[in-house]
Amino acid sequence: MKTYDGIYSYDSPDNAQACLVTVTNKRIEIHLRDAHGNSRTVHWYWYNVVQGDRALHHTGLPLQTLKVASYEFQDEVARRMKQPLRRGIPAVVTAVAGTVLFIVLLLVAAYFWIIPALAGRVANTLPVEYEIKFGEEAYNNMIRDFKILPGETEKVNSFFKALDIPSKYPVKITVVDKPEANAFAVPGGHIVVFSGLLQQMRHPEELAALLAHEFSHVELRHTTRSLMQSLGTYMAVSLVFGDLTGIGAVLVENAQTLKSLEYSRTLEKEADLNGLRLLTARKINGEGYIWLFGTLKNEAGAMPSEWLSSHPDLDNRIRYVETELKGDTTAATPAALANLWQQIKTK
């Protein structure tokens, strides 16, 4: 490694001293001696070197200048200054980049694993009374944007009561005047059904399947868990601090997301199969699920179904429901449900 004679100044051109200079791939090394003869080395990394008039300068403060008379040195510096891609990355940049990458990975982990796990745990440990309370508040905050159909609401509630499904929640059905094919559950017991979906159904078992499915989301706390997960950062803060009041407030403020809330495939399958078991136990033809999915698929082209967008993979769900049915689709419609169905379909 060749050494060159130079003049190094620090802070002021008057504060100059002789030095020896060497050049490496990463930096210029300036070798100095203090007044007591002790040696020290100043390192100028290439990304901090600026070429001036017959001198080199170091970026930043205080002002540092290096003069080397050797033409060979000047040629070497010029050659290296034309190779920006070979300059080293400062340690501070590397550290910052590493920290940013760590934070990004942590956020990704939180979104896909930590928050869902916390959401599920908190949802399963919430007192039922508290879930009912903030569910009622969320329902009241959301339902004001809909026109409720009292007659249809009363009939569908009677239909659900005839199913005789016990629950720890006060289940209430609300039918609203909307042409789209949609239905959704609210934490704590409310289920909202759009009139457009009722009009498209052809069998009472379809309505039984729909209500059993949405009821299962409530009973198994899927709605509360998925809503917590979908609210991400806001919910994470409340989860970390164990703030149940904060959780309720965030859920109420975001009640509008309930009508398009998406569930994971695992939760959808769990709700389907739980609902199917409820129908089977009441001797209601479980093929109502197949008919319901078929109705939604057939009507999707003519009238967009919000239920389809938030409850995807109908073909896959038809397959596993058919497998669970095991060919037993001979159950007759219970007379009480058939009578109530006729009332619902009568204008």
Side-chain angles (χ1 to χ4, degrees), residues 39-315:
S39 63
R40 68 185 183 94
T41 303
V42 176
H43 296 148
W44 284 13
Y45 289 90
W46 291 111
Y47 52 81
N48 284 328
V49 176
V50 178
Q51 198 155 19
D53 184 19
R54 292 179 296 178
L56 298 178
H57 304 284
H58 189 276
T59 59
L61 296 175
L63 178 66
Q64 298 180 65
T65 302
L66 177 66
K67 295 181 180 181
V68 177
S70 169
Y71 290 112
E72 183 181 350
F73 172 82
Q74 294 172 14
D75 290 341
E76 178 71 9
V77 168
R79 183 178 68 82
R80 294 186 182 277
M81 294 287 285
K82 292 179 181 178
Q83 300 175 357
L85 294 179
R86 296 183 61 186
R87 297 179 186 179
I89 299 175
V92 65
V93 173
T94 303
V96 170
T99 302
V100 171
L101 178 60
F102 174 77
I103 293 173
V104 169
L105 292 176
L106 184 61
L107 290 175
V108 170
Y111 182 81
F112 286 104
W113 297 291
I114 299 174
I115 290 178
L118 287 174
R121 179 174 298 181
V122 172
N124 291 331
T125 57
L126 277 177
V128 171
E129 296 77 10
Y130 187 82
E131 191 179 8
I132 293 171
K133 178 179 180 296
F134 74 66
E136 188 72 25
E137 293 174 356
Y139 169 82
N140 291 332
N141 187 50
M142 171 270 303
I143 203 64
R144 66 185 65 169
D145 294 333
F146 296 97
K147 178 184 177 183
I148 298 175
L149 300 177
E152 287 81 351
T153 294
E154 182 179 356
K155 294 173 184 177
V156 175
N157 272 287
S158 297
F159 188 96
F160 181 78
K161 289 178 182 177
L163 294 176
D164 193 25
I165 302 176
S167 175
K168 56 182 175 287
Y169 299 102
V171 180
K172 300 175 184 177
I173 319 296
T174 303
V175 180
V176 297
D177 185 16
K178 295 284 285 184
E180 297 87 358
N182 194 24
F184 59 89
V186 179
H190 281 283
I191 296 173
V192 178
V193 179
F194 285 21
S195 60
L197 182 53
L198 278 179
Q199 293 166 7
Q200 294 173 40
M201 292 179 181
R202 297 293 178 266
H203 307 278
E205 289 82 2
E206 291 182 67
L207 180 56
L210 175 73
L211 297 179
H213 175 86
E214 297 297 342
F215 166 81
S216 295
H217 278 318
V218 173
E219 189 73 16
L220 301 175
R221 292 183 160 181
H222 294 170
T223 306
T224 302
R225 185 190 314 177
S226 298
L227 187 56
M228 286 181 174
Q229 180 178 339
S230 71
L231 296 179
T233 304
Y234 299 102
M235 192 56 59
V237 173
S238 294
L239 292 174
V240 169
F241 291 98
D243 181 9
L244 293 182
T245 303
I247 293 174
V250 172
L251 294 181
V252 171
E253 290 173 6
N254 292 271
Q256 293 299 328
T257 63
L258 287 165
K259 63 182 179 181
S260 57
L261 184 64
E262 295 186 6
Y263 301 98
S264 69
R265 293 184 181 182
T266 300
L267 296 186
E268 287 291 10
K269 185 174 183 178
E270 187 177 2
D272 284 338
L273 297 184
N274 186 73
L276 185 60
R277 285 190 290 269
L278 292 173
L279 299 189
T280 302
R282 286 154 182 79
K283 302 188 184 306
I284 298 172
N285 192 347
E287 198 169 7
Y289 268 101
I290 310 299
W291 296 333
L292 173 63
F293 295 157
T295 295
L296 289 166
K297 288 181 64 178
N298 292 336
E299 296 295 329
M303 182 177 295
S305 170
E306 292 187 36
W307 204 85
L308 276 176
S309 65
S310 57
H311 297 67
D313 301 316
L314 288 186
D315 288 331

